[in-house]
Amino acid sequence: MHSLFRRARPRRRALVLTLAASLGAGALWYALPFGRAEPGPVVIRVDQAGYLADASKEAFVMGGEDTLAGARFEVLDDAGHSVLSGPTGPRTGAWNDSYDSVRTLDLSALTRPGTYRVQLSGSATATSPRFKVAPAGELMKGLAEDNVRFFQAQRDGADIVPGALDRKPSHLTDRAATVYAAPHYNKDGTELKEPLRKIGGPVDVSGGWFDAGDFLKFTHTAAYSTAQLLLAQRSLPDTPGLAAEARHGVSWLDKMWDGRTGTLYAQVGIGAGSKDVQSDHDVWRLPQADDAMNAGAGDPGRALKYRPVFRANEPGAPISPNLAGRVAAVFALAAQTEAKSDPQGARQWLEKAAAVYQQADTHPSGDLVTVFPGNFYPEDSWQDDMEFGATELALAAKELGDGRGAKWQGEAGDWARKYIASDARGTLGVADVSALAHADLIKLGPSDAAVGDLRRQLADGERRAAKDPFRAGAVYTDFDAVPHTFGLVATARLYAQATGDHRYDAFAEQQRGWALGANAWGTSFMIGAGEVFPHCPGHQVANLAGSLTGEGKILRGAVVNGPNGARNVTEHNSFDQMRTCEAGAADWKRFDGKGARYLDHVGAWQTVEPADDFTSTALLAFALTAG
């Protein structure tokens, strides 16, 4: 769960950018008196980023059952020629009061590369957004390249990539930052209970990426994202900019690890402060504005210009195992990446990985360390992180001929079994890396436990999908629905590569389609992918330096949370400096259902805040599909 600007401000009137033409036929939608729902116009939902030429293809149509019962569809190419036709498929259920029927459209026979639309006739009329059909390498590589652009836009420090949003160097004072004791918060993590206390520094923690729509930098999420970029690089090594972004992430994590003292730094910046400490979430601005501040001693804004650094552990003391495992995995992956081109450098990365891994607290008590406050990124599992670290150490040792590989391989298997026996099992996401660990563990040798748990994760997703009208495998009434969906796609691909079993390939296609447009709202949840995508992300740079119309200067490649539980989307953030932006407000409300809500509103961080871990999971899914 992400935490951008939890302290909601009073709402302001927003600019509405109408998307009715793309979202569905018939733009005049209204609420009837006495709570009765007006039947919604029939709409078609497709994977707007495109379908793989040789894979199964599914689209959906939603409307009233009486209307859809006699409908037929045809697929039109760019020239308007019909290339495929047929009746609508079986009903998958009702969505909400306005849409009591969702039906499938089987497009699997469409294999010729090109650009197409679906059109309904008979008892219902509607036209879908355009979509492509193309080979996997062509289609997925373009999406992955866009994801890399997002990471370039997230860079902090002096080594920035200007890109479409004209990024400037930022937070140069991070080169000599002060270390503070771990902050203490009230119960809900909204306010500091006591002043910050200096304990060390200066340390160089410059560079890295902003975590999300804010400007905080977290070891927890950076390690997760960097690991996925390195794994994506394996499958799609020629993706422009990918290797450079992976190195950028590794370089920053290297700064966050002080091997001399055995200290891992967890965080740069503070996301919740007090009346005396202005936090990152209290101001809406471009990041370079922090450098220009005149913040003397005692100024509440001083923590914005001279950002505090917090440690994950006391020097030399055990490190929370979730952090130790995933940071060790990143350093070991870096060793694998450089094993052939720079063996000496690779061995240095291996030693750093081993040192972090060895310092893990394998009998943790209390809450795991993620970020401060911890409720920004809660995490329960840690054996999966240790399995990940041990597995990548073993693979790196194998590449470099290091004799410790067998020991690490044995420990990886032990951690896998302990994770599987725990009550904290989940699916791939920022709080659970078991799928990454299992897939690479299988490369070291047969592991029935790892194979079985990968199958468990995918089977759970399939069971949820079977009950959902749009075949969603993730829980879209809670945070992180879209990244968990891309996590299922990546897991299905990892499973197929590791085992040769392709039983979940169609499920992976279905899930990617849901995240990229074949959902109730008819929007892709990746900026720039498809005809309809978020125009108003909860992202300061995109809002202040970019376009509000979805054209031109956009945060291309960013993946947002997507739909969330309606209970979670009750208040919007608002700042005097925020450029008002809301796209398709009336339209989204029509499509809300099953307790879920979606808004394309700059203040709705719960649905349209992009994040590093969201986007890295999508990037890995695309790279594995292409590779």
Side-chain angles (χ1 to χ4, degrees), residues 358-496:
Q358 185 63 34
Q359 209 170 313
D361 180 1
T362 55
H363 296 88
S365 59
D367 294 335
L368 298 172
V369 177
T370 55
V371 305
F372 304 103
N375 62 352
F376 281 10
Y377 281 97
E379 183 168 9
D380 296 321
S381 67
W382 58 272
Q383 293 96 337
D384 55 312
D385 296 280
M386 292 298 292
E387 178 194 352
F388 193 24
T391 296
E392 301 310 333
L393 278 163
L395 286 170
K398 184 177 179 180
E399 286 276 342
L400 294 167
D402 189 294
R404 294 171 288 181
K407 170 182 174 292
W408 286 323
Q409 180 177 344
E411 291 176 359
D414 289 342
W415 288 124
R417 287 185 285 274
K418 289 175 180 177
Y419 166 80
I420 292 166
S422 76
D423 60 359
R425 295 185 302 164
T427 60
L428 181 57
V430 72
D432 192 309
V433 297
S434 60
L436 307 180
H438 293 346
D440 270 5
L441 179 60
I442 295 166
K443 293 181 179 179
L444 291 165
S447 174
D448 291 342
V451 170
D453 196 58
L454 286 173
R455 195 178 295 133
R456 183 268 308 170
Q457 296 183 33
L458 294 166
D460 285 352
E462 277 197 325
R463 280 191 289 273
R464 283 191 293 270
K467 299 175 183 179
D468 185 77
F470 291 92
R471 302 298 184 236
V475 179
Y476 46 72
T477 53
D478 207 347
F479 288 90
D480 297 8
V482 170
H484 277 303
T485 299
F486 280 121
L488 290 170
V489 178
T491 302
R493 297 303 179 188
L494 289 167
Y495 175 82

Side-chain angles (χ1 to χ4, degrees), residues 12-18 536 548-549 579-585 600-602:
R12 298 168 62 193
R13 178 174 294 180
L15 170 67
V16 177
L17 306 175
T18 303
C536 305
L548 304 182
T549 65
R579 296 167 69 198
T580 54
C581 185
E582 183 174 9
D600 186 0
H601 183 299
V602 64

Side-chain angles (χ1 to χ4, degrees), residues 205-557:
V205 290
S206 60
W209 300 302
F210 305 136
D211 170 66
D214 50 21
F215 304 138
L216 300 172
K217 298 187 293 192
F218 299 136
T219 297
H220 176 260
T221 53
Y224 174 84
S225 300
T226 304
Q228 291 190 314
L229 265 62
L230 288 163
L231 291 170
Q233 192 179 338
R234 282 185 189 171
S235 293
L236 214 54
D238 60 343
T239 303
L242 176 55
E245 284 313 300
R247 285 195 300 271
H248 188 77
V250 172
S251 176
W252 185 74
L253 289 169
D254 191 27
K255 291 181 177 181
M256 298 296 279
W257 166 242
D258 184 347
R260 181 181 58 83
T261 63
T263 305
L264 182 66
Y265 298 108
Q267 179 172 331
V268 181
I270 187 166
S274 66
K275 63 181 178 61
D276 298 318
V277 179
Q278 196 170 41
S279 81
D280 184 87
H281 293 169
D282 290 324
V283 185
W284 191 267
R285 78 283 188 201
L286 291 172
Q288 60 267 28
D290 293 351
D291 298 77
M293 291 179 67
N294 182 16
D299 189 321
R302 190 170 176 81
L304 297 179
K305 181 168 184 174
Y306 302 103
R307 305 201 293 176
V309 176
F310 303 111
R311 298 188 303 208
N313 67 308
E314 295 295 321
I319 302 169
S320 191
N322 54 311
L323 287 178
R326 64 180 57 191
V327 172
V330 168
F331 291 161
L333 283 164
Q336 295 169 44
T337 302
E338 297 185 7
K340 291 183 173 60
S341 61
D342 182 10
Q344 183 177 353
R347 290 188 181 92
Q348 292 176 353
W349 286 119
L350 178 61
E351 292 308 320
K352 290 180 181 182
V356 176
Y357 174 81
Q358 185 63 34
Q359 209 170 313
D361 180 1
T362 55
H363 296 88
S365 59
D367 294 335
L368 298 172
V369 177
T370 55
V371 305
F372 304 103
N375 62 352
F376 281 10
Y377 281 97
E379 183 168 9
D380 296 321
S381 67
W382 58 272
Q383 293 96 337
D384 55 312
D385 296 280
M386 292 298 292
E387 178 194 352
F388 193 24
T391 296
E392 301 310 333
L393 278 163
L395 286 170
K398 184 177 179 180
E399 286 276 342
L400 294 167
D402 189 294
R404 294 171 288 181
K407 170 182 174 292
W408 286 323
Q409 180 177 344
E411 291 176 359
D414 289 342
W415 288 124
R417 287 185 285 274
K418 289 175 180 177
Y419 166 80
I420 292 166
S422 76
D423 60 359
R425 295 185 302 164
T427 60
L428 181 57
V430 72
D432 192 309
V433 297
S434 60
L436 307 180
H438 293 346
D440 270 5
L441 179 60
I442 295 166
K443 293 181 179 179
L444 291 165
S447 174
D448 291 342
V451 170
D453 196 58
L454 286 173
R455 195 178 295 133
R456 183 268 308 170
Q457 296 183 33
L458 294 166
D460 285 352
E462 277 197 325
R463 280 191 289 273
R464 283 191 293 270
K467 299 175 183 179
D468 185 77
F470 291 92
R471 302 298 184 236
V475 179
Y476 46 72
T477 53
D478 207 347
F479 288 90
D480 297 8
V482 170
H484 277 303
T485 299
F486 280 121
L488 290 170
V489 178
T491 302
R493 297 303 179 188
L494 289 167
Y495 175 82
Q497 288 184 7
T499 65
D501 180 355
H502 291 269
R503 71 177 73 180
Y504 298 108
D505 284 4
F507 174 68
E509 295 302 304
Q510 200 174 56
Q511 298 311 299
R512 192 183 68 248
W514 182 89
L516 296 173
N519 54 66
W521 297 269
T523 181
S524 164
F525 298 116
M526 175 173 153
I527 297 175
E531 288 187 9
V532 184
F533 55 80
H535 291 182
C536 305
H539 189 279
Q540 295 176 86
V541 176
N543 176 255
L544 295 175
S547 164
L548 304 182
T549 65
E551 297 179 350
K553 298 168 63 175
I554 62 174
L555 190 64
R556 185 172 295 278

